[in-house]
């Protein structure tokens, strides 16, 4: 399943609208798109979206026991907003330890259609910083599937949307290098860059439906 380019960008706009107008489980600081949609491809095999979230500070955990008893999810008010859980309990998701998982909650809220070819990366670090951190980690482990495609476009920062960036995406104005060349520009040798690009493409091709991956840097 793939998305016609216009539909993919409409889907991005809908995600931005949701973040702008609806309560989120945690504060969202940045929204980027990367990969196929940034390259101007049509159709888009998978829509890759990156969110930078902030850690919830000063939350009200006084009703945590109430949410745990009703929904079986611990930590509401500590890791996700109580106000959000009140309004969108159907999107409450927990990690393996039973605690509210912000990345899973964001995924449930922003990607309600589980069949959509959309991937959501959620991290506390900015996109550029995480690209660098992931590259360093992948080199140490020799596991290129954990890389982030560095060819990204920022569409939202601290509550402000970039209409100009969206316009350039819609008009396919951005000139971006191949993935292997982009990785080479970040310091990988040619052979490494080719291998990393191939492995990352293979990993992406194995993903089906809506997927979410959380990361902490």
């Amino acid at each position: 399943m793939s998305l016609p380019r216009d539909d993919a960008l409409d889907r991005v706009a809908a995600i931005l609208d949701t973040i702008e107008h609806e309560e989120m489980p945690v504060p969202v600081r940045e929204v980027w798109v990367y990969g196929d949609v940034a390259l101007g491809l049509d159709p888009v095999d998978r829509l890759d979206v990156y969110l930078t979230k902030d850690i919830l500070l000063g939350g009200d955990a006084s009703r945590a026991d109430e949410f745990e008893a009703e929904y079986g999810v611990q930590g509401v008010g500590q890791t996700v907003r109580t106000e959000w859980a009140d309004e969108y309990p159907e999107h409450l998701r927990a990690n393996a330890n039973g605690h509210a998982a912000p990345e899973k909650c964001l995924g449930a809220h922003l990607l309600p259609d589980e069949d959509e070819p959309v991937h959501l990366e959620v991290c506390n670090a900015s996109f550029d910083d995480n690209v660098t951190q992931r590259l360093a980690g992948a080199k140490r482990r020799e596991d290129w599937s954990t890389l982030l495609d560095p060819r990204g476009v920022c569409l939202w920062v601290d509550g402000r949307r970039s209409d100009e960036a969206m316009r350039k995406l819609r008009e396919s104005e951005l000139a971006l290098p191949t993935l292997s060349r982009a990785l080479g520009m970040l310091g990988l040798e040619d052979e490494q860059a080719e291998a990393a690009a191939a492995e990352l493409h293979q990993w992406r091709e194995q993903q089906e439906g809506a997927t979410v991956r959380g990361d902490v840097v």
Side-chain angles (χ1 to χ4, degrees):
M1 180 181 178
S2 59
L3 292 170
R5 181 167 184 77
D6 285 345
D7 290 353
L9 291 172
D10 287 346
R11 189 68 188 84
V12 173
I15 289 172
L16 292 173
D17 287 342
T18 301
I19 292 171
E20 184 173 9
H21 298 296
E22 298 181 12
E23 185 84 78
M24 290 288 102
V26 290
V28 174
R29 185 166 17 110
E30 295 180 8
V31 180
W32 295 64
V33 292
Y34 62 99
D36 288 356
V37 71
L39 295 177
L41 298 184
D42 191 3
V44 175
D45 287 339
R46 284 191 72 75
L47 173 60
D48 291 305
V49 181
Y50 184 96
L51 261 61
T52 302
K53 69 173 181 63
D54 285 328
I55 296 173
L56 187 64
L57 297 174
D60 177 13
S62 62
R63 295 174 54 207
D65 290 345
E66 173 189 332
F67 283 98
E68 183 178 358
E70 186 165 356
Y71 302 104
V73 178
Q74 303 171 34
V76 171
Q78 297 172 329
T79 55
V80 299
R81 289 167 167 150
T82 299
E83 301 84 358
W84 173 83
D86 256 337
E87 190 169 357
Y88 304 101
E90 70 276 16
H91 298 322
L92 263 175
R93 298 291 187 274
N95 60 24
N97 295 322
H99 286 267
E103 74 281 358
K104 293 179 181 292
C105 293
L106 282 164
H109 194 143
L110 297 173
L111 309 179
D113 184 351
E114 295 182 356
D115 294 325
E116 283 186 307
V118 183
H119 178 67
L120 184 68
E121 287 275 345
V122 181
C123 186
N124 63 308
S126 67
F127 179 80
D128 288 338
D129 288 344
N130 206 5
V131 164
T132 303
Q133 292 288 336
R134 291 273 193 94
L135 180 60
K139 288 173 70 175
R140 287 194 302 270
R141 295 186 298 269
E142 295 186 354
D143 178 6
W144 304 114
S145 68
T146 61
L147 284 175
L148 270 178
D149 188 330
R151 300 165 300 176
V153 180
C154 185
L155 298 175
W156 165 284
V157 178
D158 293 331
R160 291 190 176 185
R161 295 168 73 153
S162 175
D163 294 333
E164 179 64 11
M166 180 62 82
R167 182 193 66 76
K168 289 182 177 180
L169 282 173
R170 287 197 179 277
E171 297 180 10
S172 300
E173 284 189 5
L174 300 170
L176 298 172
T178 63
L179 178 54
S180 59
R181 185 175 179 187
L183 293 172
M185 293 167 66
L186 291 176
L188 290 187
E189 300 293 337
D190 290 347
E191 186 174 337
Q192 280 184 316
E194 292 288 348
E199 188 170 332
L200 188 55
H201 281 308
Q202 183 179 29
W203 180 83
R204 290 181 74 253
E205 289 171 359
Q206 294 171 349
Q207 309 307 303
E208 295 182 359
T211 54
V212 180
R213 182 164 62 178
D215 191 16
V216 176
V217 174

